[in-house]
Amino acid sequence: MSDTVETRSISYDAARRVLDAAVAAAASAGKSMCIAVTDPSGLPVLTARMDGSPRLSLQIAQDKAYSVASFGGLPTDAWWAMIKDEPALVHGITHTPRLTIFGGGVPLVVAGALVGAIGVSGGSAEEDREIAQAGADAVS
Amino acid sequence: MSDTVETRSISYDAARRVLDAAVAAAASAGKSMCIAVTDPSGLPVLTARMDGSPRLSLQIAQDKAYSVASFGGLPTDAWWAMIKDEPALVHGITHTPRLTIFGGGVPLVVAGALVGAIGVSGGSAEEDREIAQAGADAVS
Amino acid sequence: MSDTVETRSISYDAARRVLDAAVAAAASAGKSMCIAVTDPSGLPVLTARMDGSPRLSLQIAQDKAYSVASFGGLPTDAWWAMIKDEPALVHGITHTPRLTIFGGGVPLVVAGALVGAIGVSGGSAEEDREIAQAGADAVS
Amino acid sequence: MSDTVETRSISYDAARRVLDAAVAAAASAGKSMCIAVTDPSGLPVLTARMDGSPRLSLQIAQDKAYSVASFGGLPTDAWWAMIKDEPALVHGITHTPRLTIFGGGVPLVVAGALVGAIGVSGGSAEEDREIAQAGADAVS
């Protein structure tokens, strides 16, 4: 029985590659997004607000990444299918502070380990998810 | 008519038996849970986050125990049946800060008195409820 | 240049030894304390409120452990010497939310690595520090 | 008399030059810092947490930049001289939420206009100020 548990966190340099890939994907799509890259505890390593993106989205992007990191790496767009047939969860767990249950939060995985998360907000949930995935694809 | 109201609260030693029983039940089921044991005011006596449990669940576990303790000992899984046919409650009371309306919060009763509550989060609502009940069964 | 940074966190079992050692030391000294054991991010692994301890102390204990964990392992009783000759810090940084600058927060170190922190509150700053150190001594 | 007031905000691209310059200066000095670049309203355009920097510093960096941006561009290290002889301010205004009165917050000025601010935290107040200034010097 060990006294410690090992975790690996994304480095600043890798987080920056993730952010750059997401910003580039957003720019290619003609979108202005807010983007957050967090460590496995959900604390930001980098946050960014592109010119013209909605101010409201800066916190949502952080909440999406936090939701992924603090719930085992589950992408935020997977929540609805899990809860939609349980009304007590639909009307209950959705109020959990910071928990975000729509697309745009994606895990960052390196060598099979959850090392952080990326959250994107500013477009539709599906657009947000695509940009976040483009960021996540920058590490592996 | 007395000037005081007596309350009985679970002791630290008994809260610990409750926590240990819940942790053991979770481990037996192969689950990693967050667990909170509170006094009748809903303030934690003990909180625990098992290795690998979702960070998000630590607050939810506390909120479940708080919901039970601060509403007369009603288990959290009893809320939905009570409110489901009143849309104003479904869409209204569910936003009450910390109120949790799905399973995993269970009262702690000693000699017929509500002495605290246990909240568990990390699995399905039903799994959470079973682990919480295993904890609650450690006192009577 | 690696894409990840390794961190080690105290395990639940070890955190429990730390808590037990602190509770035993407090009981030996005839003191009732609130105690928090956190991981390196400052999130609690275990919190405890002994019978008769001040309710106010539960948050202070968590804030002390958070202060240590989120500032490189610096014990909370080391802050005053660092800032006492800089009035802008004495009157400025002391207002930082959760930052606690008096004794009772101690790092948890295993094999030379900062794996978490313990915070104790309920007595004098020096009593709190001694109980916290007794907890920290349970791992090495 | 116009119905509108024009403000100019630092662009994402320029904010990034500011951040990169600050990160490079910190790395040259062998320091790990948290850095925030905000617009004139104090809302972050970019925040960064370098590997090994204190988690506590992420909010302080943002608060420093916010303090500068939301108070006319006054560097945070200018506050103490302004208030030190007025005890009511020393003990009063220093509690203002987010207001930071020690070094590390510096205005971003382009063509004579305040377009944002940079806040740095993780070292001494003087180290923080130097890194922040290195960032600010990347625009003019």
Side-chain angles (χ1 to χ4, degrees), chain B residues 28-102:
Chain B
S28 288
K31 298 285 174 185
S32 284
M33 298 295 195
C34 291
I35 301 165
V37 182
T38 73
D39 68 14
S41 78
L43 191 69
V45 176
L46 276 166
T47 68
R49 187 163 56 93
M50 295 172 69
D51 297 336
S53 58
R55 284 172 177 81
L56 187 69
S57 292
L58 182 58
Q59 187 60 49
I60 298 175
Q62 294 180 67
D63 291 348
K64 285 179 178 175
Y66 171 82
S67 297
V68 172
S70 65
F71 205 72
L74 190 75
T76 54
D77 65 350
W79 272 92
W80 184 247
M82 283 191 348
I83 66 173
K84 70 185 173 60
D85 296 325
E86 295 193 63
L89 290 178
V90 167
H91 294 279
I93 203 167
T94 55
H95 298 274
T96 306
R98 306 200 62 191
L99 174 59
T100 312
I101 62 157
F102 47 93

Side-chain angles (χ1 to χ4, degrees), chain A residues 39-124:
Chain A
D39 69 14
S41 79
L43 190 70
V45 177
L46 275 165
T47 68
R49 188 164 55 93
M50 295 173 70
D51 298 337
S53 59
R55 284 171 178 80
L56 187 69
S57 292
L58 183 57
Q59 187 59 49
I60 298 176
Q62 294 181 67
D63 290 347
K64 286 180 179 177
Y66 171 81
S67 297
V68 173
S70 65
F71 206 74
L74 190 75
T76 53
D77 65 350
W79 271 92
W80 185 247
M82 282 194 344
I83 66 173
K84 69 185 172 60
D85 297 325
E86 294 192 62
L89 291 178
V90 167
H91 293 281
I93 204 167
T94 55
H95 302 288
T96 305
R98 304 199 67 188
L99 174 60
T100 313
I101 63 156
F102 48 92
V106 168
L108 300 177
V109 177
V110 172
L114 178 69
V115 299
I118 177 172
V120 173
S121 178
S124 69

Side-chain angles (χ1 to χ4, degrees), chain C residues 29-53:
Chain C
K31 298 285 174 185
S32 283
M33 299 293 196
C34 291
I35 301 165
V37 182
T38 72
D39 69 14
S41 78
L43 190 69
V45 176
L46 274 165
T47 67
R49 188 162 55 90
M50 293 173 70
D51 298 336
S53 59

